[in-house]
Amino acid sequence: MKRIKIKDLLQLPPQRQPVLVQGWVRTFRNNQFISINDGSTILTIQAVVALNSIDESALKRITTGACISVKGELVPSPAKGQPVEIKVTSLDILGDCDAEVYPLQPKKHSLEFLREIAHLRARTNTFGAVMRVRHAMAFAVHQFFNERGFFYIHTPIITGSDAEGAGAMFKVTTLDINQPPRNEEGHVNFKEDFFGRETNLTVSGQLEVETYAMALSETYTFGPTFRAENSNTTRHLAEFWMIEPEMAFYDINDNMELAEAFLKYLCQYALNYCSDDLEFLNKRAQEEEMTKPQDQRNELSLIDRLKFVVQNNFERLTYTEAFEILRNSTPNKKKKFQYLIETWGADLQSEHERYLVEKHFKKPVILYNYPKEIKSFYMRQNEDGKTVAAMDVLFPGIGEIIGGSQREERYDQLLKRVEELKLPQKDLWWYLELRKFGSAPHSGFGLGFERLIQFVTGMTNIRDVIPFPRYPGNAEF
């Protein structure tokens, strides 16, 4: 007999047909009622054991966490909240679970505790739901771009360049770290390393995928990226995933239109295909909100935030317009912002971004034309000499979710910016050379995948939306 997933089983009409279910025991009550989950859905199915129909020794092995195989008949359930159940005819234990030491008992566990047992936390309702949503969003990302004729480019994880110019990168080497070879100046001689030069784990695939946009027109990369920042906040990971489209012949306005369409598509996909998990996560998020002070609570529920994105046209305004709104706002005048808005050119903080979205416009916001001094070297310089054609998309609850720009396609201007920032031209020669051979106007943006999953699931700590989080002091599992 072929196994049927619980997600599919719950959709079948109960006609006493024979079925086979395999999964993990969530609860076992009164030596008769087994709640089984197989991960295909957040829902469980109840298997009912007739009294004296199963050997006593086998019943004792049915504990929370045990993996079992059940054959039986699918029948209507008299219990509230479940349309069907299984009348057990035979049962096998596939994997015993020592109930005395099994850490996931049927009770509420803290997220901090679950991070310590990340190899087991996917068996909880919360993390099962988060990972199913994560899968759905990854699929939706590829589907969105495929429907629009984009090409998926696998950019390198090991790189010799730093796309952000930040310097906080993980080094990759095969040299003996205790006795590395040294050159005449006494520095580590990377010419003797595996690649013959100094290399790192990438912080972004943007620069590399730009090269393919200059041949295939519309491209994107979606892969792991790494930053060696010593940050222990709820918003940062050392290893995370980035979605980075790059498009030839797109100006900043085309870029903003794509970003808005992309985010609306993803939120609508979650609403359409993740309803059971979202209902659970919505309830969980509401319970968590009630533990916060009144002035720190989200005004919209998790599901309402997704609908908020789908149903509203994004407000677009320049950084300068946003600066004036914030400078003249009540929270700024009454000094309620942690970071006061006083001087043009200041980098906006999450509190400012959320004010614009949640209080002032009450819709998602796209800011563009930022001061060039607070943005990356590759962004196209505007004619005013002060700003660049950058854009940030701001969402309720989190602030910035997408950052992007029209890229600088003019060789002289890009070279000048590289020199101003004292970036290593020897590492960027190929990127600069793109501007010499058939350069074209082009744009792109980056969406941190975990930031997206936080928004869609309502999880407040980024460590809880990736299977095995990497952060300072932790590379377990």
Side-chain angles (χ1 to χ4, degrees), residues 252-421:
I252 186 67
N253 293 305
D254 300 322
N255 205 25
M256 289 190 281
E257 287 178 10
L258 183 74
E260 179 171 348
F262 184 43
L263 290 168
K264 285 185 173 181
Y265 185 98
L266 294 176
C267 290
Q268 187 64 63
Y269 192 95
L271 290 166
N272 289 350
Y273 297 102
C274 304
S275 56
D276 288 337
D277 288 319
L278 287 182
E279 286 177 15
F280 169 81
L281 292 166
N282 187 62
K283 183 179 178 182
R284 183 195 170 280
Q286 287 176 325
E287 292 173 353
E288 188 173 277
E289 287 297 314
M290 295 307 294
T291 66
K292 299 178 182 178
Q294 184 73 37
D295 61 344
Q296 294 180 20
R297 294 177 188 173
N298 279 309
E299 295 181 6
L300 298 173
S301 71
L302 170 60
I303 290 176
D304 285 339
R305 289 198 296 274
L306 295 174
K307 292 178 179 178
F308 177 86
V309 171
V310 172
Q311 295 169 358
N312 283 291
N313 292 325
F314 294 12
E315 185 74 28
R316 300 182 189 183
L317 69 158
T318 66
Y319 167 92
T320 301
E321 290 169 329
F323 169 78
E324 290 300 329
I325 290 170
L326 291 166
R327 189 169 65 87
N328 294 312
S329 69
T330 300
N332 197 60
K333 288 181 176 179
K334 292 188 175 181
K335 298 188 176 181
K336 290 189 175 181
F337 281 145
Q338 183 179 352
Y339 299 92
L340 296 180
I341 296 294
E342 296 172 330
T343 306
W344 187 92
D347 205 353
L348 302 185
Q349 304 297 317
S350 179
E351 61 179 340
H352 308 134
E353 296 166 340
R354 290 187 60 182
Y355 174 83
L356 292 170
V357 173
E358 298 168 27
K359 304 296 183 183
H360 189 82
F361 290 108
K362 297 188 184 298
K363 61 173 68 174
V365 170
I366 306 181
L367 298 185
Y368 63 98
N369 288 352
Y370 277 79
K372 72 174 185 178
E373 302 305 328
I374 60 174
K375 289 297 181 180
S376 297
F377 75 96
Y378 49 74
M379 296 185 176
R380 195 181 200 278
Q381 298 170 55
N382 291 325
E383 300 307 316
D384 61 13
K386 299 191 304 179
T387 63
V388 290
M391 65 160 207
D392 286 343
V393 182
L394 314 180
F395 264 21
I398 58 172
E400 180 196 339
I401 193 166
I402 274 180
S405 73
Q406 185 171 338
R407 312 313 191 189
E408 182 58 81
E409 84 279 12
R410 300 164 296 182
Y411 177 80
D412 291 341
Q413 282 86 343
L414 182 61
L415 178 61
K416 181 181 177 182
R417 193 73 180 125
V418 167
E419 290 173 343
E420 283 176 0
L421 296 173

Side-chain angles (χ1 to χ4, degrees), residues 46-115:
Q46 180 169 270
V48 182
V49 180
L51 295 175
N52 303 318
S53 65
I54 303 295
D55 184 80
E56 186 70 24
S57 61
L59 289 177
K60 289 181 179 179
R61 294 169 63 192
I62 304 174
T63 61
T64 296
C67 186
I68 65 174
S69 180
V70 170
K71 290 181 181 179
E73 297 177 348
L74 189 67
V75 299
S77 176
K80 185 179 180 182
Q82 53 186 36
V84 297
E85 63 185 24
I86 300 173
K87 182 180 178 182
V88 177
T89 56
S90 68
L91 185 150
D92 292 310
I93 310 294
L94 301 180
D96 290 287
C97 184
D98 189 339
E100 293 186 5
V101 296
Y102 183 54
L104 287 177
Q105 295 303 315
K107 64 177 184 178
K108 188 170 184 178
H109 299 282
S110 72
L111 297 177
E112 291 77 13
F113 170 72
L114 292 174
R115 283 178 216 131

